[in-house]
Structures are given as structure tokens and as C-alpha cells.
């Protein structure tokens, strides 16, 4: 099985603050994610630590929803959340670079997530975990490229 952590980076021609405003607006996730088709905040919530949102994920095989909790919300620096509050951690970190901003997307499948998959999928857990690993490895570069296109067109 591959590593349970993956990240990739891209330099985008915009400011850290402008890019943070974009990636912390989870309602726009469907514009750049190859799997997450839509997200929405719990009523009255927004990009702040402790806020919850729901994401609808779609693949050719299935559609499902997850709830996530924001765990880091530092404007211009980092925005991150944990699926189910503990199963996996996704996030964006931002830093000035080459006249723009280096955006790094990261993913980590937690021990709680591994245990949950073993409980939910039994003998199929390893295959399901590998599926999520593969999706992160292909999805992160695709997501970063889409965010770059959106940010640079609007910027």
C-alpha cells in the first residue's frame, strides 16, 4: 500500500490573500475538484475553525456525502479540514513565491480513518484505502491546475 500522506504544489500568479479567499470558499470546490461536485456550509457557518460543511462526491461508481470540520483557517496562510472530524485531513497552505503564491494541497489518511475503513469494508478495506490513495495522487495535481486557471483568469 502506498503512503497515507500526499501533497503537491503549484505557483499561481495572485496574492496569498486573494488565493486564500478562493480556496477557503468551500461552496466553489465543485469548480476545481475532480471528485467533490459541491460543498455547502452548515447554516450560518463559514471559513473559521470549528465550522462544519458537507461535500457531495461523485465518481462513475457512486455518489456520497461527507461532513467536514475546519481545523485551520489562517487568512493568507492555511485552510484545512478533517473529513468526519477525524478520518482524513485535507488542506491548502500558501506562501509568497516567484512574484505569486505557492499553493500546496495536502492530504493525510489518519489512523481513525484506517480503522473506520476496516470496520466499514472488512475484507475490502485495503482495496478501498488504496482507491482513496490513488484518488489523492491523481486528484491533487488536477485540483491545483484547475485552481490556478480560475485564480489567474479572475485575478
Amino acid at each position: 500500500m502506498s503512503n497515507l500522506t500526499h501533497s503537491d504544489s503549484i505557483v499561481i500568479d495572485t496574492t496569498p490573500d486573494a488565493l486564500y479567499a478562493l480556496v477557503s470558499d468551500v461552496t466553489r470546490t465543485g469548480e476545481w475538484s475532480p471528485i467533490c461536485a459541491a460543498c455547502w456550509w452548515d447554516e450560518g457557518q463559514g471559513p473559521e475553525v470549528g465550522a462544519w460543511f458537507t461535500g457531495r462526491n461523485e465518481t462513475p461508481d457512486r455518489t456520497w456525502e461527507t461532513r467536514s470540520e475546519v481545523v485551520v483557517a489562517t487568512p493568507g496562510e492555511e485552510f484545512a479540514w478533517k473529513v468526519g472530524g477525524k478520518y482524513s485531513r485535507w488542506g491548502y497552505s500558501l506562501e509568497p513565491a516567484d512574484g505569486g503564491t505557492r499553493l500546496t494541497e495536502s492530504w493525510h489518511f489518519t489512523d481513525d480513518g484506517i480503522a473506520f475503513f476496516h470496520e466499514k469494508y472488512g475484507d475490502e478495506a485495503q482495496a478501498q484505502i488504496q482507491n482513496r490513495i490513488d484518488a489523492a495522487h491523481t486528484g491533487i495535481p488536477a485540483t491545483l491546475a484547475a485552481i490556478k486557471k480560475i485564480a489567474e483568469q479572475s485575478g
Side-chain angles (χ1 to χ4, degrees), residues 17-51:
D17 288 336
L19 194 53
Y20 179 88
L22 179 64
V23 300
S24 66
D25 183 356
V26 300
T27 66
R28 296 191 66 185
T29 303
E31 295 177 41
W32 53 73
S33 174
I35 292 178
C36 186
C39 285
W40 55 92
W41 293 106
D42 282 10
E43 186 155 338
Q45 303 219 331
E48 59 192 30
V49 173

Side-chain angles (χ1 to χ4, degrees), residues 22-23 25-40 53-60 62 64 66 68 81 83 90-92 103 105-107 132 134-151:
L22 179 64
V23 300
D25 183 356
V26 300
T27 66
R28 296 191 66 185
T29 303
E31 295 177 41
W32 53 73
S33 174
I35 292 178
C36 186
C39 285
W40 55 92
F53 63 92
T54 299
R56 180 180 306 110
N57 302 295
E58 298 176 1
T59 66
R62 66 189 190 107
W64 72 102
T66 60
S68 296
W81 63 96
V83 177
W90 287 89
Y92 297 106
L103 178 66
E105 182 177 7
S106 61
W107 166 82
R132 299 321 186 276
D134 294 344
H137 280 254
T138 59
I140 287 175
T143 296
L144 291 171
I147 291 170
K148 177 179 176 78
K149 184 177 179 182
I150 291 164

Side-chain angles (χ1 to χ4, degrees), residues 7-12 93 95 101-105 140-141 144:
S7 66
D8 201 356
S9 301
I10 196 168
V11 175
I12 300 176
S93 59
E95 60 183 344
T101 302
R102 179 178 317 284
L103 178 66
T104 300
E105 182 177 7
I140 287 175
L144 291 171

